Amino acid sequence: MQQTEADRNDAMPTRRGLLRGAAACALTAAAAGPDAAQAALRPIPFGSAAEIDAFRSDARYREALKRYCDVIVPMNDLKWQGLRHDRPRFDFSGADEIVAFAQANRKALRGHTLLWGDALPPWAKEMTTRAEAERELVNHIEIVVDRYKGRIATWDVVNEVIRYEPSPDTPLRDTIWQRLLGPEHIEIAFRTAARVDPKARLVLNDFLFEEAAPAGAARRKVALDIFRRLRDKGIPVHGLGIQAHLYGEKDLDLDGLQRFLRDLDALGLDVEITELDVIDWKLPADPVLRDKLAAARVSSFLEAVVAAKRPKAIVTWGLTDRYSWVPDTFPRQDSARARPLPLDTDYRPKPMMAVLERFRRGTA
Ligand code: 9MR
């Protein structure tokens, strides 16, 4: 099977060798049948969010980003809290460092995020009028997207706008943006980003689409409603970022997720896995068993996703268990250290990394 134009466009400069390798594998796979050949020809770029303190202080962390990633996401430095702690002055210091590193090492970049109800500086939470909120939001997006135009190819334009447990009357999260601008805050953000960088891929990023509890289905429906509304209004939007902070202990609704992916495909939308990790607070303490369970969870999740719709990228929320948000938000009852990511605290690849490498090579 031939690579499509879209597949070629996906390929990062650093992945040319990998793609050549995948093509060689495809010759072997072709003998095994069309499905195997297709899988072998379809590597998916892999990446990670980069946390600035670790990035600055830990050379091994930077080496791991170079070695394992095709895509890098500044974890916190493009958030309002990172850029706008001083209201009149944008602070691009952290974001610029990570962007320069990604460029120097020929990595693609995702921008996270232009609008979120969290990670706001105090002054932004104290805005009081619709006019002020709209002026600040538009100005922010204009300045940030313009600065990285041509360098950041994909933006999480809005992050976590869907209510945790949405109802038909209250589909959206109660944030300063929703309070002052109503549902239109989503449209304003996408419209502005598209105007400033018409070539950027614009994504809505959110979580718990794989949840088996009723909230999962409700959240999927709200996402589809948002996309349809944007489309009806002619506002550019290119895809969904599926965060995929996978709970180790909960059932996943993989059938529901696959139906959702097909619905997104029918709307002409792409998907990306944007914040993958395994919340292992309820998994057994034994590290070998825990790593095995986490890898199995990631594997079954990604296999289900890829079977329904090939994601443009697979990005984990960090690379090493040394630095992760998971133990702060989901502390274990015992004293065992959290193991949510593909490398251990000593940068040794865990079984999860082997799973991710299969998708990265296109041999999954
Ligand atoms: O991992 C991030 C942590 O370091 C920050 O303190 C926090 C607030 O900015 O955000 C964390 O990342 C979140 C991401 O931006 C959006 N989805 C959930 C992530 C984990 O909380």
Side-chain angles (χ1 to χ4, degrees):
M1 193 181 192
Q2 290 297 306
Q3 255 184 271
T4 63
E5 187 59 35
D7 293 334
R8 275 195 295 278
N9 291 342
D10 277 354
M12 313 292 161
T14 49
R15 295 183 51 74
R16 284 195 189 121
L18 280 174
L19 286 172
R20 269 199 299 275
C25 292
L27 293 174
T28 328
D35 290 349
Q38 180 180 358
L41 270 172
R42 311 204 93 199
I44 300 172
F46 171 75
S48 166
E51 199 279 319
I52 191 72
D53 292 335
F55 176 83
R56 283 179 176 151
S57 64
D58 183 345
R60 286 199 296 169
Y61 187 74
R62 294 193 294 277
E63 278 312 306
L65 290 168
K66 281 191 209 170
R67 171 163 176 192
Y68 292 103
C69 296
D70 311 303
V71 185
I72 293 182
V73 187
M75 183 180 280
N76 294 315
D77 298 275
L78 287 166
K79 293 173 181 172
W80 282 60
Q81 204 169 47
L83 295 170
R84 309 297 309 278
H85 44 88
D86 187 5
R87 185 171 189 167
R89 197 183 63 88
F90 283 71
D91 175 2
F92 288 110
S93 54
D96 278 356
E97 265 181 67
I98 294 175
V99 168
F101 172 86
Q103 287 203 288
N105 292 286
R106 298 159 68 87
K107 314 289 185 192
L109 281 151
R110 306 187 77 261
H112 175 85
T113 170
L114 298 169
L115 179 154
W116 189 17
D118 278 342
L120 291 167
W123 66 263
K125 289 184 238 168
E126 284 153 19
M127 293 187 293
T128 50
T129 66
R130 182 183 173 88
E132 182 186 22
E134 183 162 358
R135 191 174 62 241
E136 287 293 347
L137 180 60
V138 169
N139 178 53
H140 177 91
I141 294 177
E142 284 177 349
I143 289 179
V144 177
V145 173
D146 186 60
R147 182 179 187 90
Y148 296 110
K149 201 169 163 172
R151 296 190 286 165
I152 294 185
T154 303
W155 278 101
D156 288 336
V157 177
V158 302
N159 185 53
E160 300 177 16
V161 292
I162 301 171
R163 195 173 277 253
Y164 189 70
E165 289 188 328
S167 71
D169 293 338
T170 51
L172 299 181
R173 208 171 259 264
D174 178 27
T175 64
I176 187 77
W177 307 113
Q178 170 70 8
R179 282 198 289 278
L180 295 178
L181 296 168
E184 217 200 318
H185 67 280
I186 299 172
E187 298 164 23
I188 295 170
F190 276 97
R191 208 186 302 117
T192 309
R195 172 165 57 72
V196 179
D197 186 355
K199 291 197 180 138
R201 291 188 59 245
L202 305 179
V203 168
L204 177 139
N205 192 50
D206 219 313
F207 63 97
L208 275 192
F209 296 117
E210 65 283 345
E211 170 102 335
R219 296 172 65 77
R220 298 194 287 262
K221 181 177 180 314
V222 175
L224 291 170
D225 288 346
I226 294 172
F227 284 127
R228 290 196 185 102
R229 204 165 45 243
L230 291 169
R231 280 291 154 99
D232 289 349
K233 295 193 171 185
I235 298 169
V237 51
H238 303 102
L240 176 71
I242 296 178
Q243 291 187 3
H245 297 293
L246 305 177
Y247 286 88
E249 80 284 9
K250 287 192 190 175
D251 287 339
L252 305 181
D253 179 4
L254 296 180
D255 290 340
L257 181 66
Q258 289 186 317
R259 276 196 304 278
F260 178 52
L261 293 169
R262 293 192 191 102
D263 288 343
L264 292 165
D265 188 62
L267 285 171
L269 293 158
D270 290 324
V271 296
E272 289 168 63
I273 308 303
T274 54
E275 303 187 15
L276 182 64
D277 50 20
V278 174
I279 299 169
D280 64 340
W281 65 333
K282 306 246 166 106
L283 292 183
D286 174 51
V288 174
L289 176 58
R290 196 142 41 105
D291 287 352
K292 217 166 135 184
L293 291 170
R297 175 132 299 224
V298 166
S299 179
S300 52
F301 173 77
L302 290 178
E303 269 160 27
V305 169
V306 171
K309 169 121 186 118
R310 176 177 172 268
K312 293 289 237 186
I314 297 172
V315 171
T316 50
W317 207 240
L319 261 185
T320 153
D321 294 338
R322 192 174 271 265
Y323 312 110
S324 166
W325 70 290
V326 169
D328 298 334
T329 309
F330 299 96
R332 291 179 62 86
Q333 294 293 322
D334 57 27
S335 56
R337 184 163 185 146
R339 303 179 68 85
L341 287 163
L343 302 177
D344 71 10
T345 50
D346 237 355
Y347 292 90
R348 283 181 299 244
K350 303 194 306 179
M352 191 192 296
M353 185 55 99
V355 172
L356 294 165
E357 288 281 329
R358 275 199 279 130
F359 289 91
R360 186 180 183 211
R361 285 195 306 267
T363 53

